[in-house]
Amino acid sequence: MSKKEIHKTNAARALDRLKISYDMFEYEVNESDLSAIHLAQTTGIGIEKIYKTIVCEVGTREYIVACIQGDLELDLKALASVSGHKRCELLTLKELEKTTGYIRGGCSPIAMKKRFATFIDERALLQKQILISAGVRGKQLCLAPHDLACAVNAKFAPIARTPSIA
């Protein structure tokens, strides 16, 4: 990862407006593997610092956002419970860009088309800083978990679990 002059994204500009401190990093994208685990392996950054953004539908055209550690899976029941909904389903990739303005592998919880209720897995509180997508593939924002929560009015909750082996 290099920290050179990088063109700002909408998410970075939103943080600037909020006067929230962050660093933006660029990395080589592998279109065949957009996973957070691959990002950790290629950059040498610990997976516990890399957070992925997942958008879910909780009602007809009602959405919520979850940020979880890159090697964990979203606990849909836990997310539904903490958000006060009966059910929670992953948003299809087809609907992702239409709903958020972002594409898979470049979805940031910051500066979506609309503001949605956002939940960050409580493990983030164990880190001084975490990385989230800057809103395009190949760019990450590094910031304090509380600053991310402030930027998107998020709540911390236990919403992730270790993946079950199929």
Side-chain angles (χ1 to χ4, degrees):
M1 254 205 275
S2 61
K3 189 182 174 188
K4 56 183 182 192
E5 186 58 37
I6 300 173
H7 288 26
K8 292 213 174 174
T9 63
N10 287 340
R13 285 189 286 276
L15 291 174
D16 288 344
R17 280 191 301 278
L18 294 168
K19 298 186 181 348
I20 291 176
S21 177
Y22 66 92
D23 286 314
M24 187 162 31
F25 298 98
E26 220 166 37
Y27 63 95
E28 188 79 26
V29 176
N30 179 344
E31 295 290 336
S32 64
D33 188 352
L34 298 171
S35 72
I37 293 171
H38 180 75
L39 174 62
Q41 291 168 341
T42 58
T43 62
I45 296 170
I47 191 66
E48 69 281 355
K49 295 180 184 310
I50 299 173
Y51 274 64
K52 56 188 174 184
T53 303
I54 302 170
V55 183
C56 296
E57 189 168 3
V58 291
T60 306
R61 302 184 64 73
E62 189 178 353
Y63 308 98
I64 58 176
V65 177
C67 296
I68 65 169
Q69 188 175 302
D71 62 340
L72 300 178
E73 71 180 25
L74 182 60
D75 184 333
L76 293 170
K77 286 183 181 176
L79 182 60
S81 177
V82 300
S83 67
H85 294 90
K86 289 184 181 188
R87 66 170 188 81
C88 183
E89 295 176 8
L90 297 176
L91 190 64
T92 65
L93 291 180
K94 184 175 133 188
E95 294 293 314
L96 182 66
E97 187 173 9
K98 212 171 18 174
T99 304
T100 67
Y102 291 126
I103 60 172
R104 179 176 172 262
C107 185
S108 179
I110 303 168
M112 289 186 173
K113 280 183 174 181
K114 292 182 181 173
R115 186 173 280 232
F116 302 112
T118 302
F119 298 86
I120 303 169
D121 186 64
E122 63 187 6
R123 287 173 184 85
L125 295 170
L126 300 173
Q127 304 301 321
K128 281 187 178 177
Q129 294 195 309
I130 59 172
L131 274 72
I132 59 162
S133 174
V136 295
R137 290 178 181 163
K139 293 183 182 180
Q140 293 281 307
L141 295 170
C142 181
L143 71 167
H146 283 289
D147 287 343
L148 173 59
C150 180
V152 296
N153 197 24
K155 294 183 176 120
F156 292 96
I159 57 169
R161 63 178 176 224
T162 303
S164 49
I165 301 191

